[in-house]
Amino acid sequence: MAAFGSLSDRLVETFSKLRTKGKLSPADVDGTVREIRRALLDADVALEVVKDFTGKVRERALSDEVNRALNPAQQVVQIVNEELVTILGGQQRRLEFAKTPPTVIMLAGLQGAGKTTLAGKLATWLKKDGHTPMLVAADLQRPNAVTQLQVVGGQAGVEVWAPEPGNGVGDPVRVAKQGVEEARRRQFDTVIIDTAGRLGVDAELMRQAADIRRATDPDEVLFVIDAMIGQDAVATARAFQEGVDFTGVVLSKLDGDARGGAALSVAQITGRPIMFASTGESLEDFEPFHPDRMAGRILDLGDILTLIEQAQQHFDEEEAAKVAEKFATDSFTLEDFLDQMQQLKKMGSMKSMLGMLPGARGLKQQLEDFDESELTRTEAIIRSMTKQERQLPKLLNGSRRLRIARGSGTTVTEVNALVNRFEQAAKMMKTVAKGGVPNVPGMGPVPGMGGGRASMAKQQSRKKGGSRSGNPARRAAENAARTTTAPTAAAGGSGFGLGGPSKQNAPSEDELAALQKLLGR
């Protein structure tokens, strides 16, 4: 995630220095802890959290569990990972639903933290999980807050209860209470109350939020905090905890370029778990918060579980089986490729998905250079083809490719490149589907997997059978010499039935002498 980019880079660099050492001295541990402390402070993590964290890491790193380890450096990484999980909340905490619907969820936080948008994201997430949420517009102070919630609700496809126009008109406590009653009457199983925020913590905000909580008796009060506000997160979280109290935390704007220290501070300071994280602007960019997975991302250990879950949500198993069969039977077409690309785009940003792989920080430059719009151009090219052309790419002659390039706003070169890549990929996937080893373009057969032996044998035979000299005259002379000195056992016929070397084709002594003279021998 972008919010932890700088912190992750610093920690990965620190641990890379440790891996070169077979045994860690107290000085090595102190130096590592010092670098970790600086990295955390630069990431705007609260000072008291940093002191507690580094103290525990140092104590454990100097203990026998590291001294007796076969790989002390790896053991220190594991210790840091475990302590990160602890300050992020330890275990994931799920929403607690009421035994008798509706479940009431109240959102609280400062103005600008993203509560209104997050209400739509939470509703979208609940709707996917089989719930029937309703949004309640209880933010009647901020200009156009009610209208914004109605727009967000429309995008999410959920009901919005908004009896008051807002913009300073109406009683938010009465609207919230009526919203819960309306949801119960209309049999919605979840109510999400969007409350007002302020530019700073003040008594009026706290009093109004506390009144709404008393009137609606919510099952969950989620404190929405901007991951980009840094050290202010601690003071804000404490003020809301004292004034309103909350049961969980939601981090918004984790896709920003800020330092992200709020995530590493708020759970430890308040003792309340981080339950959700908002990772983008789309209503789909919302996910439950897993402390262990987040720690893995920060330390560049990857987050394969989240990647698998996203794939399971957007890919149909039956469809995947059909595609695999098409690969095996060589019937995979550009139309199938377009369908697969559409499913891939539903999973979100390619950069974020690639960033979940272990060791992704080592490919930082490649990830930054990755052009997301390349998928859009590829889609435009395929959509500019006729259905027959998608199913039979061999029909794509020069005039057709020119028409496709004009229709997609690209060049003929880009169309050619796409078709060539598709054909290569289809061949590779067909080989894999049949249990073979793919021959990667530019790399040859994958080594160590039993494939490509015939081609390797041919290469060795070429090396044995011919000169490797860069001088053409010298190469001709050496090849001629090999021909005359070749074993006569082959005269009875070669392995291809073409017969052995013929004396008639062998160079004469005069020709060899001329060649040697040319070479300066």
Side-chain angles (χ1 to χ4, degrees), residues 56 147 268-269 288 347 373 389 435 437 454 485 513:
K56 290 180 179 178
T147 303
Q268 184 83 347
I269 292 294
M347 289 179 61
S373 61
E389 288 170 343
V437 180
T485 58

Side-chain angles (χ1 to χ4, degrees), residues 159-417:
E159 185 78 15
V160 179
W161 172 256
E164 299 288 352
N167 298 323
V169 177
D171 180 4
V173 178
R174 183 170 56 82
V175 168
K177 189 175 181 179
Q178 289 178 349
V180 175
E181 294 172 353
E182 180 72 9
R184 184 177 292 110
R185 185 181 67 83
R186 297 173 59 184
Q187 296 184 343
F188 287 94
D189 72 351
T190 314
V191 179
I192 302 172
I193 304 174
D194 180 29
T195 64
R198 293 289 186 276
L199 296 177
V201 177
D202 56 40
E204 182 184 354
L205 165 66
M206 293 304 172
R207 184 168 55 253
Q208 183 185 103
D211 290 343
I212 292 176
R213 176 165 189 171
R214 282 192 295 270
T216 59
D217 189 22
D219 300 280
E220 296 278 11
V221 179
L222 301 183
F223 173 51
V224 184
I225 188 167
D226 187 342
M228 300 170 66
I229 67 174
Q231 292 284 349
D232 289 340
V234 176
T236 304
R238 279 179 169 157
F240 269 89
Q241 190 173 23
E242 293 171 2
V244 183
D245 200 6
F246 48 86
T247 59
V249 178
V250 180
L251 291 172
S252 65
K253 306 179 185 178
L254 266 184
D255 56 321
D257 294 328
R259 298 168 182 176
L264 298 176
S265 304
V266 67
Q268 184 83 347
I269 292 294
T270 65
R272 299 292 187 268
I274 302 173
M275 297 176 63
F276 296 98
S278 174
T279 57
E281 296 180 0
S282 170
L283 293 180
E284 305 289 337
D285 297 331
F286 181 79
E287 60 188 43
F289 188 86
H290 299 266
D292 54 340
R293 300 183 190 182
M294 183 58 67
R297 293 193 205 183
I298 294 174
L299 296 180
D300 198 27
L301 302 177
D303 187 2
I304 298 298
L305 289 176
T306 299
L307 192 59
I308 291 173
E309 287 176 358
Q310 289 184 2
Q312 289 176 337
Q313 289 175 5
H314 295 94
F315 280 85
D316 190 308
E317 291 186 11
E318 294 183 4
E319 185 65 26
K322 291 179 181 178
V323 170
E325 185 179 351
K326 287 186 175 183
F327 276 130
T329 57
D330 202 16
S331 58
F332 187 75
T333 66
L334 280 166
E335 197 159 8
D336 298 320
F337 177 64
L338 180 63
D339 292 338
Q340 292 297 301
M341 192 167 62
Q342 290 294 321
Q343 293 191 49
L344 189 65
K345 288 176 70 175
K346 291 178 183 178
M347 289 179 61
S349 167
M350 284 293 295
K351 287 184 180 180
S352 65
M353 285 189 287
L354 293 173
M356 293 181 193
L357 298 175
R361 285 285 158 189
L363 303 173
K364 182 178 179 181
Q365 190 59 48
Q366 290 90 327
L367 288 175
E368 290 180 354
D369 293 340
F370 181 81
D371 187 4
E372 297 274 1
S373 61
E374 183 67 28
L375 292 177
T376 305
R377 285 194 291 270
T378 300
E379 182 179 351
I381 292 173
I382 298 177
R383 289 191 181 280
S384 297
M385 300 177 185
T386 65
K387 187 174 182 178
Q388 188 179 25
E389 288 170 343
R390 294 178 198 173
Q391 295 175 346
L392 294 172
K394 293 181 180 180
L395 295 176
L396 297 175
N397 56 23
S399 61
R400 289 175 183 258
R401 297 188 185 208
L402 179 61
R403 188 203 77 238
I404 293 168
R406 289 174 176 173
S408 59
T410 58
T411 63
V412 175
T413 303
E414 290 176 296
V415 176
N416 293 339

Side-chain angles (χ1 to χ4, degrees), residues 7 10-12 14-15 18 29-43 45 50 53-55 57-58 61 76-77 79-81 84 299:
L7 174 62
R10 294 279 296 274
L11 293 178
V12 170
T14 299
F15 294 138
L18 282 182
V29 173
D30 288 339
T32 300
V33 171
R34 187 163 50 249
E35 289 297 324
I36 293 173
R37 183 186 298 113
R38 289 173 180 170
L40 292 173
L41 290 174
D42 286 345
V45 180
V50 173
F53 178 81
T54 53
V57 170
R58 186 180 186 279
V76 171
V77 175
I79 289 172
V80 173
N81 182 58
L84 268 179
L299 296 180

